[in-house]
Amino acid sequence: TAPVFFGCAFIAFGPALALYLFTIATDPLRVIFLIAGAFFWLVSLLLSSVFWFLVRVITDNRDGPVQNYLLIFGVLLSVCIQELFRLAYYRLLKKASEGLKSINPEETAPSMRLLAYVSGLGFGIMSGVFSFVNTLSNALGPGTVGIHGDSPQFFLNSAFMTLVIIMLHVFWGIVFFDGCEKNKWYILLTVLLTHLLVSTQTLLSPHYEVNLVTAYIIMVLMGIWAFCVAGGSRRSLKLCLLCQDKDFLLYNQRSR
């Protein structure tokens, strides 16, 4: 099982680790913002768990359809709370940036594009870690996969889904902060709805392949959107692919 574990871990976290090493690890300030973003996601998970626990106690842990409805409710609630905490994190960063400018006008504050990217990666990495740990918990004990009709590729599919969630949080963070900056609330609603769609589709269909295809389509569309709002262009993309841009979309960013 060790090769399977490390293979799935590489699929799930390889791109996120590369993003961290090449764009964040060399800057202490970015590391701090990433950890803060991860902490905000953890607090949102804690709050969701408290609500989930209270609901289960109120319903007296009933079996059958009630638990299915509670599971759907828990997912919807968790997604909404995550997006509320993303908004709270944006507000906090905005206030901090404005305060820094008022104290020292000559100090260049980090751009909101940079903060959106770093906070989104923090949300994504922490979300991916919990998703992957929950998946691996199903591997405890012999023969747990496939007994009740689960796909033999359950862990591999879960690794690819974890990768999608991590990357989507990065894209959602960039698009979400851009919507807040421009006061376009329909953008925030779009982020919320796509987050709900990706999170709930696994509850509506047992076909992992269909869920992955849908999630990857949403990831590609959100990635293009995030690339455009972050100031991307054909030239910058070409420089990135040719490794001629030292820090793609983050190098020498000016404060917005």
Side-chain angles (χ1 to χ4, degrees), residues 99-125:
L100 180 62
K101 289 181 180 179
S102 63
I103 295 175
N104 188 359
E106 297 181 357
E107 181 70 20
T108 302
S111 71
M112 292 308 297
R113 290 175 178 174
L114 168 61
L115 297 177
Y117 165 76
V118 175
S119 65
L121 186 58
F123 269 61
I125 290 177

Side-chain angles (χ1 to χ4, degrees), residues 88-211:
Y89 190 43
Y90 164 80
R91 297 286 189 184
L92 178 64
L93 293 176
K94 190 68 174 178
K95 290 292 184 181
S97 179
E98 293 173 354
L100 180 62
K101 289 181 180 179
S102 63
I103 295 175
N104 188 359
E106 297 181 357
E107 181 70 20
T108 302
S111 71
M112 292 308 297
R113 290 175 178 174
L114 168 61
L115 297 177
Y117 165 76
V118 175
S119 65
L121 186 58
F123 269 61
I125 290 177
M126 190 55 61
S127 175
V129 168
F130 272 81
S131 174
F132 200 64
V133 168
N134 289 333
T135 300
L136 290 178
S137 66
N138 292 326
L140 297 178
T144 57
V145 178
I147 292 179
H148 301 291
D150 290 329
S151 171
Q153 291 80 34
F154 174 77
F155 294 110
L156 187 60
N157 290 327
S158 298
F160 279 108
M161 182 58 72
T162 299
L163 170 61
V164 171
I165 292 297
I166 294 174
M167 300 306 298
L168 274 175
H169 269 294
V170 177
F171 302 148
W172 283 330
I174 296 173
V175 173
F176 191 95
F177 276 40
D178 182 70
C180 292
E181 285 286 284
K182 298 177 180 178
N183 291 322
K184 295 182 178 180
W185 300 106
Y186 70 88
I187 295 180
L188 310 188
L189 181 61
T190 302
V191 172
L192 175 62
L193 292 178
T194 53
H195 195 171
L196 287 171
L197 177 59
V198 173
S199 298
T200 58
Q201 66 176 343
T202 54
L203 302 176
L204 302 177
S205 173
H207 304 291
Y208 300 120
E209 294 78 8
V210 176
N211 297 333

Side-chain angles (χ1 to χ4, degrees), residues 2 11 46 50 60 67 80 101 122-123 134 139 162 166 169 189 227 240:
I11 292 173
L46 175 62
V50 170
D60 197 23
Q67 293 302 314
C80 292
K101 289 181 180 179
F123 269 61
N134 289 333
T162 299
I166 294 174
H169 269 294
L189 181 61
F227 177 79
C240 176

Side-chain angles (χ1 to χ4, degrees), residues 164 168 210-224:
V164 171
L168 274 175
V210 176
N211 297 333
L212 276 177
V213 170
T214 305
Y216 267 85
I217 291 175
I218 295 175
M219 183 189 71
V220 171
L221 295 177
M222 292 301 301
I224 295 174

